[in-house]
Amino acid sequence: MLESIGYAIAGGALIGLSASILLLTGGHIAGISGVFGGILQKPLVTFDKDRWRPAFFLGLLAGGLILRIIAPEVVSAPNSRGMLAVIIAGLLVGFGTRLGNGCTSGHGVCGITRFSRRSLMATLIFMATGFITATLMGVLS
Amino acid sequence: MTPKTLLSAFVSGLIFALGLGLSRMTDANTVLAFLDLSGDWNPALAFVMVGAIAVHLPFYRMIRKRERPLLAERFHIPTTNIIDKKLVLGAAIFGVGWGLGGYCPGPALVSLVSFDGATPLFVAAMATGMIAQNFMRKSPQRGAQIEDQDETA
């Protein structure tokens, strides 16, 4: 368990570094749902004025490719869930993060760092409903 | 937007992805096991946020002392501090999806390249959910669009 805590802290540190680089250079917040949602919702504006979003997105994909090559075991889909559950989960994550203006990165990391009350509240709520849902699924299955 | 800005955004995305991988956030089954308190619970993933904030906080303080970012005119940082129904409901819905699928947006996008059956399906559904939310926000029945969601969180 200590080993996995070490990996979690080290991985988190890289995420914090990434958010810092994005803020220092272009002045933007590393909120993934905002990056992806922005590209989807305003593709023309994004590729004209907000090209940092597709650039960041490509970086995510490139990082995923590197992981796939050097450590494929860390990239794994939710095998324990059926296809229907995966589809419903995706719809809820997409809809909820846009309605609530952020996800684990934007609210959980960047927002809490700014001591934003809004982000702290959002984080407490999505952590709570996340724990409740996964625990219920675990008990029922 | 200069090539330097784009390159730094690309590098930032790449480091973000490696961080998610190193911490195992990209393993949806590990995430589901973390969120499931009924089984053999491993609290390790809670430390991802601890590590991220521990690094970002001092940098954030230093960066905000600057008048402007290195490569741009101004900072794009949300100033809203209102806790409204949309925030509460949105976060609650997101959490249910996270607990159901084990993916939040970052890990799902990073895992896209694995071409594992469930991942592209999740991302397609997530994109659909985002577009649906945008559509509802823009529909006239819901009143004029007054909020700018560009600056997420």
Side-chain angles (χ1 to χ4, degrees):
Chain A
M1 195 209 297
L2 272 179
E3 197 189 342
S4 55
I5 290 177
Y7 281 127
I9 292 178
L14 283 183
I15 292 168
L17 179 67
S18 156
S20 304
I21 293 171
L22 197 67
L23 187 67
L24 176 65
T25 54
H28 294 287
I29 296 289
I32 309 295
S33 57
V35 167
F36 192 52
I39 295 172
L40 290 173
Q41 289 168 6
K42 295 177 183 168
L44 296 178
V45 177
T46 300
F47 283 94
D48 179 30
K49 290 178 184 158
D50 287 329
R51 276 178 292 169
W52 70 273
R53 285 200 179 111
F56 185 90
F57 177 65
L58 285 178
L60 284 180
L61 295 185
L65 201 61
I66 293 173
L67 288 172
R68 187 67 190 154
I69 294 164
I70 63 171
E73 71 280 0
V74 304
V75 183
S76 153
N79 310 323
S80 55
R81 300 285 194 258
M83 287 295 163
L84 183 64
V86 169
I87 292 172
I88 294 171
L91 287 170
L92 295 176
V93 168
F95 191 90
T97 51
R98 292 310 277 161
L99 183 66
N101 270 34
C103 59
T104 339
S105 51
H107 281 312
V109 176
C110 299
I112 290 184
T113 295
R114 294 196 311 275
F115 298 120
S116 156
R117 275 192 327 138
R118 222 173 112 76
S119 290
L120 181 63
M121 177 61 84
T123 305
L124 290 174
I125 292 171
F126 71 66
M127 293 295 295
T129 56
F131 274 116
I132 291 168
T133 307
T135 304
L136 275 179
M137 295 290 290
V139 171
L140 294 175
S141 63
Chain B
M1 197 157 283
T2 64
K4 270 191 196 168
T5 319
L6 296 181
L7 182 65
S8 60
F10 177 83
V11 170
S12 178
L14 193 136
I15 295 173
F16 201 103
L18 297 180
L20 286 174
L22 185 61
S23 65
R24 303 291 189 274
M25 286 290 289
T26 45
D27 180 351
N29 299 299
T30 299
V31 175
L32 287 175
F34 163 67
L35 291 174
D36 180 358
L37 299 170
S38 74
D40 187 13
W41 192 56
N42 182 347
L45 286 185
F47 289 87
V48 179
M49 208 177 269
V50 174
I53 294 172
V55 169
H56 191 39
L57 186 64
F59 278 124
Y60 178 80
R61 292 284 171 88
M62 282 190 279
I63 294 166
R64 284 316 307 275
K65 283 183 186 154
R66 303 177 54 90
E67 277 188 20
R68 41 175 286 198
L70 284 177
L71 306 171
E73 291 303 313
R74 65 178 187 98
F75 288 105
H76 301 264
I77 293 172
T79 48
T80 325
N81 216 1
I82 306 162
I83 296 170
D84 55 6
K85 259 193 260 176
K86 279 173 56 184
L87 180 87
V88 172
L89 193 63
I93 292 171
F94 160 43
V96 172
W98 190 32
L100 193 59
Y103 278 139
C104 51
L109 296 177
V110 170
S111 307
L112 249 187
V113 288
S114 68
F115 301 112
D116 198 336
T119 310
L121 196 64
F122 180 93
V123 172
M126 181 171 83
T128 308
M130 286 179 165
I131 292 168
Q133 201 281 324
N134 186 48
F135 183 73
M136 282 177 63
R137 184 151 41 93
K138 277 185 176 160
S139 70
Q141 292 95 322
R142 299 199 132 223
Q145 184 183 354
I146 44 168
E147 277 178 75
D148 183 7
Q149 283 198 331
D150 280 359
E151 291 169 20
T152 299

